Amino acid sequence: SSSVMNISEHLSCPLGFGHYNAVDICILETVVIVLLTFLIIAGNLTVIFVFHCAPLLHHYTTSYFIQTMAYADLFVGVSCLVPTLSLLHYSTGVHESLTCQVFGYIISVLKSVSMACLACISVDRYLAITKPLSYNQLVTPCRLRICISLIWIYSCLIFLPSFFGWGKPGYHGDIFEWCATSWLTNAYFTGFIVCLLYAPAAFVICFTYFHIFKICRQHTKEISDRRARFPNHEGGAAGETGHSPDRRYAMVLFRITSVFYVLWLPYIMYFLLESSRVLENPALSFLTTWLAISNSFCNCVIYSLSNSVFRLGLRRLSETICSSCMCSKDRDVRDPKPRKRANSCSI
């Protein structure tokens, strides 16, 4: 109990519910952050390994963006080790301001990469459905790599003014005391981020998926009419199988995008309200922040549950790991290591 009290004295817990239950609140925060850190790192490492081990996933051009999101989410999990260690160990406060700024900047850049990748995925699916004949000429691996590089550069540049004193990049639920008391949000910088990142990405995603599902609905209607006119004609079934995979894959990506904005919408709303000095609530700040960060793990779950090719690759990866473990055990059973014998002379 003395160690818990010692930790609670040094922790800067953002949830301000009074001193009587400060220890419980700090422990709850620590458990939440440590659990999310572990899930994010483990989940995204699994996604990365499955993409490298499943050749069929590379047939989709969106696999470039999915892997980029997985790496960005993995770095989010690694970055979350910083507040985890700050909760478990006392910080001297010498470099607290720099640590806070760097951590907030890195988290904001990584989530900006995820948001931009989701927008690019929606554009990619839109081109695949609206321009199927010229899609391979429009979307090439070289252009995809250039697009991903531009995403990283743009995300790094858009949050760079925060280092020069122009507002906070958007990290709330502050674990560091300096972040909560000395680093305040700025309404103009928030508007700058919304206009150049949040709003364009949301508009592109809404526009593309609206037209994607509209076109898929038209195709489905045309196929149904054709099959009603020519019940014995095999062209309808062929056309149905031609458009069905694109629609199913678009639905998977739409679920990922929807969950992303559902988890991030409370964070963005609180970001706007706090920047306008309308609302300041430490508990709400902590909950919205880590709810948004939990999206880095939700992407893995949605993709593994929705994509059959990914599930197949995950099963093969698991079987390979299990078979290698079984082979090593069988080898140990067949060829046991000789035990050291005592010296007969000493006996």
Side-chain angles (χ1 to χ4, degrees):
S1 60
S2 60
S3 61
V4 173
M5 292 299 296
N6 188 23
I7 292 174
S8 64
E9 289 177 0
H10 298 307
L11 290 179
S12 56
C13 298
L15 299 183
F17 292 118
H19 298 285
Y20 66 95
N21 59 351
V23 177
D24 296 334
I25 295 300
C26 290
I27 293 175
L28 177 62
E29 291 178 20
T30 306
V31 170
V32 170
I33 296 174
V34 170
L35 181 62
L36 277 179
T37 302
F38 172 77
L39 291 176
I40 290 170
I41 293 175
N44 287 283
L45 279 176
T46 303
V47 171
I48 292 169
F49 283 131
V50 170
F51 266 94
H52 282 290
C53 298
L56 290 176
L57 288 170
H58 295 284
H59 294 172
Y60 297 101
T61 56
T62 50
S63 64
Y64 288 88
F65 296 110
I66 295 291
Q67 291 183 73
T68 303
M69 289 175 57
Y71 280 108
D73 291 334
L74 175 63
F75 293 145
V76 168
V78 174
S79 300
C80 288
L81 292 174
V82 176
T84 301
L85 294 176
S86 71
L87 282 172
L88 297 176
H89 299 283
Y90 175 68
S91 177
T92 59
V94 177
H95 302 291
E96 186 178 2
S97 60
L98 181 61
T99 303
C100 176
Q101 286 181 318
V102 171
F103 176 69
Y105 175 78
I106 290 175
I107 289 291
S108 300
V109 168
L110 293 175
K111 300 317 296 180
S112 172
V113 169
S114 296
M115 192 174 296
C117 284
L118 289 173
C120 291
I121 286 173
S122 66
V123 174
D124 177 82
R125 291 298 89 197
Y126 177 77
L127 293 176
I129 292 178
T130 57
K131 300 181 182 296
L133 298 179
S134 59
Y135 174 76
N136 291 328
Q137 287 75 29
L138 292 173
V139 182
T140 61
C142 181
R143 291 179 180 177
L144 288 173
R145 295 188 185 97
I146 293 174
C147 182
I148 292 172
S149 300
L150 291 176
I151 287 174
W152 281 98
I153 294 172
Y154 183 77
S155 300
C156 291
L157 291 177
I158 195 174
F159 291 101
L160 200 59
S162 62
F163 276 107
F164 301 99
W166 192 31
K168 203 174 184 178
Y171 174 70
H172 301 281
D174 304 306
I175 302 301
F176 305 101
E177 185 178 358
W178 186 89
C179 287
T181 58
S182 302
W183 199 15
L184 302 178
T185 54
N186 185 290
Y188 295 104
F189 183 71
T190 303
F192 172 77
I193 297 297
V194 170
C195 293
L196 293 184
L197 179 62
Y198 296 153
F203 174 77
V204 168
I205 288 171
C206 292
F207 175 83
T208 52
Y209 277 112
F210 172 78
H211 284 83
I212 285 172
F213 290 115
K214 182 179 178 181
I215 292 171
C216 289
R217 190 163 53 249
Q218 291 176 353
H219 288 168
T220 304
K221 184 179 179 181
E222 290 175 0
I223 291 169
S224 300
D225 294 341
R226 190 178 304 169
R227 295 181 69 178
R229 291 181 182 179
F230 310 101
N232 296 326
H233 190 60
E234 297 180 355
E240 186 176 358
T241 56
H243 294 291
S244 175
D246 284 336
R247 182 174 183 177
R248 285 198 300 268
Y249 196 60
M251 281 298 299
V252 173
L253 301 173
F254 180 72
R255 291 190 194 105
I256 294 176
T257 306
S258 301
V259 171
F260 181 91
Y261 276 95
V262 166
L263 295 177
W264 274 82
L265 188 59
Y267 170 83
I268 296 173
M269 295 300 297
Y270 182 83
F271 186 27
L272 294 172
L273 293 175
E274 187 185 82
S275 301
S276 305
R277 303 295 184 268
V278 176
L279 176 63
E280 290 187 10
N281 189 319
L284 200 58
S285 173
F286 179 84
L287 293 175
T288 55
T289 296
W290 292 98
L291 181 66
I293 291 177
S294 67
N295 176 77
S296 298
F297 172 70
C298 294
N299 289 339
C300 313
V301 177
I302 297 170
Y303 206 75
S304 60
L305 293 178
S306 303
N307 192 293
S308 58
V309 179
F310 184 88
R311 291 197 301 271
L312 178 61
L314 182 61
R315 187 168 66 249
R316 288 180 177 176
L317 179 63
S318 303
E319 291 174 354
T320 303
I321 295 174
C322 294
S323 62
S324 62
C325 295
M326 293 298 294
C327 289
S328 62
K329 290 181 180 180
D330 293 340
R331 193 181 304 113
D332 293 337
V333 172
R334 288 195 305 267
D335 303 323
K337 295 181 180 179
R339 296 180 179 178
K340 293 183 179 179
R341 295 182 178 179
N343 192 352
S344 59
C345 297
S346 63
I347 295 175

